[in-house]
Amino acid sequence: MQSSIPVHHEKFYIDGTWQKPATTLRIEVIGANNGELIGSVPEGGQADIDAAVTAARRAVEGGWSESSPAERAAVLNRFADAIEKRGDRLSRAVSMQNGMPLSLAEQLEVGYVVGLLRYYAALAQGLQTEERRHSPLGFDTLVRRKPVGVVGAIVPWNYPVVLSIMKIAPALATGCSIVLKPSPGTVLDCYILAEAAEEAGVPAGVLNWVPGGRDLGAYLVAHPGIDKVAFTGSTAAGRKIAEVCGRLLRPVSLELGGKSAGIILDDAKLDQVLPGLHFAAFGNNGQTCALSSRILVPATRYDEIVEALAELAKSLKVGDSLDRTTEIGPLASAEHRERVESYIARGKSEGRLVAGGGRPRHLARGWFVEPTVFADVANSATIAQEEIFGPVLTVIKYRDEDEAVKIANDSDYGLGGTVWSADSQRAQTVARRVQTGTIGVNGYVLDMASPFGGIKASGLGRELGPESLAAYQQLQSVYLTG
Ligand code: NAD
């Protein structure tokens, strides 16, 4: 972020240049820590999306899709360098917008992102796009992997940078171009990314950003110039997007909501579990899709573990997200806090409140909520089934491992989860039985080199790892019969 707050932008980064918006509408960004205006940007209109899609199409057809692996790798590496240089501004911009503790923003929204771009640069370098196969019918076939073309990408506000780069990196590695629509709540960070793209010499039209709301997102999804949609956000929006893409027969990847289980086994060592749960259950103030927000606790150690979870929640330092000692920052917006508080109100009739439940008294401004724990919750309760997306844990008692696995799997979602045990082999055996796209043993860290995504209502397709490249490619078989 520029040194003076609020920061105001007047243009969009489209076609490698800063272009005037088609409308006079503006998006105002309110700081999560204090409710004050921290910036504003133009709000995109349909004509801006049209311009961005046209530029993206020109880029893929004008040579980018035919560029060499070395060229794409160099672009990705230069982009990583340019983002790294802006790391301080970027992490502060994210933190001020959505309340992410600064130390986490530095780690994930900058450090991880830079690593991710370099990882995909290496993958781009080694990309095999043609394979000659001998057919059992006696001739050879050339199997080609071509870039899918122009990607329409839509991201939410909780990890605006990393979720964008999870789409940008494989798209660039495979030779696609992107039109990206960020969430209205987090639009300042994308200007820093655009500035980095410009400095890195990303070819014109390959990366374009048009901020706007859900109507603009819907326009992008259905745009005739889009070849593939990459979406991260709520399950409700994901279903609508999937319907449109189904009608259009347009490839789509969907990273959606979650309500994952953290299974604490009866031999778990609490001094190992509690620091791990700090991120795995409360990470980014609870505004993380894959959090273990349903904690499954063995009946034999129930009271001891509930007490320890309550103590953990009470011990977390809630404060200004820019303060490096803060562990839990504010929620992203006033509306989001209201939503989280309505779940807390509901939880008071569905469980026993053992920590939090209110607003921290020492913070008069900003969208803060105390880290909250409900014990004695039935897995069928609303607070155990619906995604709250705030620092609110529900604790559910189980009798034995079979019942723990059954409860973990009794969810509409299937995104993440964790298993905690002094015996990592035992935890792994339980983890294998949990029906989710990812799961952590004694912790939860997104491995950039392995596929990430969900099953059931948590989505379709995978991001990260070499696997995500396939989502940005289409196959062509050339039969060499004569
Ligand atoms: P949201 O679905 O309301 O919005 C996400 C983005 O989609 C925004 O940019 C929004 O403007 C746009 N959008 C909304 N409706 C749309 C539509 N019909 N057509 C096109 N675009 C549309 O979600 P949110 O509240 O911004 O984000 C929180 C949600 O994101 C949570 O459910 C969380 O679990 C999920 N999420 C999932 C992952 C994952 O990888 N699985 C990661 C982060 C967040």
Side-chain angles (χ1 to χ4, degrees):
M1 180 147 318
Q2 281 152 19
S3 43
S4 60
I5 304 286
V7 52
H8 300 292
H9 293 281
E10 306 301 332
K11 295 188 174 169
F12 294 134
Y13 187 72
I14 293 174
D15 205 12
T17 58
W18 294 94
Q19 301 197 359
K20 274 201 177 147
T23 75
T24 52
L25 299 172
R26 308 275 308 167
I27 297 173
E28 293 197 331
V29 186
I30 303 300
N33 287 306
N34 50 25
E36 286 174 7
L37 183 75
I38 55 170
S40 73
V41 306
E43 179 172 345
Q46 296 187 351
D48 300 304
I49 291 282
D50 293 344
V53 172
T54 303
R57 171 71 51 206
R58 228 181 0 250
V60 280
E61 289 177 359
W64 173 245
S65 61
E66 304 293 329
S67 56
S68 70
E71 205 176 317
R72 290 181 211 159
V75 167
L76 282 159
N77 279 324
R78 289 199 306 268
F79 191 32
D81 294 344
I83 291 177
E84 196 168 36
K85 259 170 68 179
R86 293 164 174 77
D88 189 40
R89 280 164 63 208
L90 193 55
S91 52
R92 290 176 69 82
V94 171
S95 177
M96 279 191 269
Q97 291 175 105
N98 70 5
M100 184 184 300
L102 185 61
S103 49
L104 188 64
E106 286 169 344
Q107 208 182 316
L108 291 180
E109 294 281 279
V110 178
Y112 194 88
V113 151
V114 168
L116 195 54
L117 286 164
R118 291 187 181 140
Y119 168 73
Y120 276 93
L123 286 182
Q125 194 74 263
L127 209 59
Q128 294 297 328
T129 52
E130 273 194 18
E131 179 196 339
R132 196 178 175 113
R133 289 187 198 164
H134 189 64
S135 162
L137 299 176
F139 56 86
D140 280 2
T141 295
L142 220 49
V143 178
R144 304 183 62 219
R145 288 173 198 279
K146 306 196 294 181
V148 75
V150 178
V151 177
I154 297 175
V155 293
W157 45 261
N158 63 330
Y159 290 90
V161 183
V162 80
L163 296 171
S164 298
I165 300 296
M166 278 160 79
K167 296 161 184 58
I168 289 173
L172 261 54
T174 49
C176 295
S177 59
I178 284 211
V179 176
L180 201 137
K181 190 208 78 64
S183 176
T186 43
V187 282
L188 301 178
D189 48 286
C190 78
Y191 278 83
I192 302 172
L193 290 184
E195 197 188 290
E198 189 179 29
E199 182 183 285
V202 175
V206 169
L207 290 179
N208 311 272
W209 281 269
V210 185
R214 59 184 50 184
D215 290 346
L216 197 71
Y219 183 72
L220 176 63
V221 166
H223 199 286
I226 293 293
D227 299 307
K228 176 213 157 52
V229 173
F231 176 75
T232 300
S234 63
T235 297
R239 284 190 206 281
K240 287 189 189 136
I241 289 169
E243 277 173 25
V244 174
C245 290
R247 189 159 29 82
L248 295 171
L249 296 178
R250 181 165 291 173
V252 59
S253 46
L254 301 163
E255 295 287 356
L256 310 177
K259 187 75 186 183
S260 305
I263 305 177
I264 302 181
L265 296 182
D266 56 13
D267 65 347
K269 292 201 168 71
L270 288 186
D271 55 355
Q272 194 179 26
V273 176
L274 297 176
L277 276 181
H278 173 193
F279 178 73
F282 285 114
N284 194 18
N285 323 328
Q287 302 175 135
T288 304
C289 52
L291 287 187
S292 297
S293 53
R294 280 186 299 150
I295 305 290
L296 312 193
V297 173
T300 47
R301 293 182 62 193
Y302 189 72
D303 292 342
E304 171 206 355
I305 296 178
V306 167
E307 198 183 319
L309 289 169
E311 284 314 309
L312 169 70
K314 289 176 196 162
S315 73
L316 294 172
K317 188 178 170 218
V318 183
D320 190 307
S321 63
L322 293 177
D323 179 341
R324 286 184 181 284
T325 62
T326 288
E327 293 173 298
I328 300 284
L331 295 178
S333 65
E335 302 74 51
H336 184 52
R337 177 167 70 170
E338 269 173 35
R339 190 172 165 269
V340 169
E341 286 179 334
S342 73
Y343 278 112
I344 293 177
R346 176 119 197 185
K348 287 176 182 166
S349 62
E350 290 186 330
R352 176 168 56 98
L353 181 70
V354 294
R359 297 180 179 180
R361 292 222 179 89
H362 67 289
L363 294 159
R365 300 188 312 160
W367 322 128
F368 294 92
V369 170
E370 287 173 330
T372 297
V373 180
F374 287 104
D376 308 349
V377 180
N379 193 51
S380 55
T382 306
I383 59 162
Q385 285 295 323
E386 295 186 11
E387 186 181 48
I388 299 175
F389 227 53
V392 182
L393 300 188
T394 58
V395 182
I396 300 162
K397 191 191 287 186
Y398 71 82
R399 282 188 309 273
D400 54 28
E401 267 180 35
D402 283 350
E403 193 184 35
V405 170
K406 196 163 159 245
I407 296 171
N409 292 339
D410 181 12
S411 169
D412 287 344
Y413 295 107
L415 186 57
T418 45
V419 186
W420 306 84
S421 168
D423 175 352
S424 119
Q425 203 55 45
R426 182 180 169 210
Q428 217 188 98
T429 306
V430 174
R432 286 169 190 271
R433 298 174 63 196
V434 177
Q435 291 157 5
T436 53
T438 62
I439 187 153
V441 167
N442 290 327
Y444 188 88
V445 182
L446 277 203
D447 173 15
M448 64 177 71
S450 304
F452 168 78
I455 62 167
K456 302 194 275 183
S458 292
L460 287 176
R462 293 291 181 268
E463 293 191 312
L464 299 178
E467 286 80 3
S468 86
L469 294 170
Y472 294 86
Q473 292 175 313
Q474 50 178 316
L475 291 164
Q476 182 187 40
S477 295
V478 183
Y479 308 129
L480 304 173
T481 47

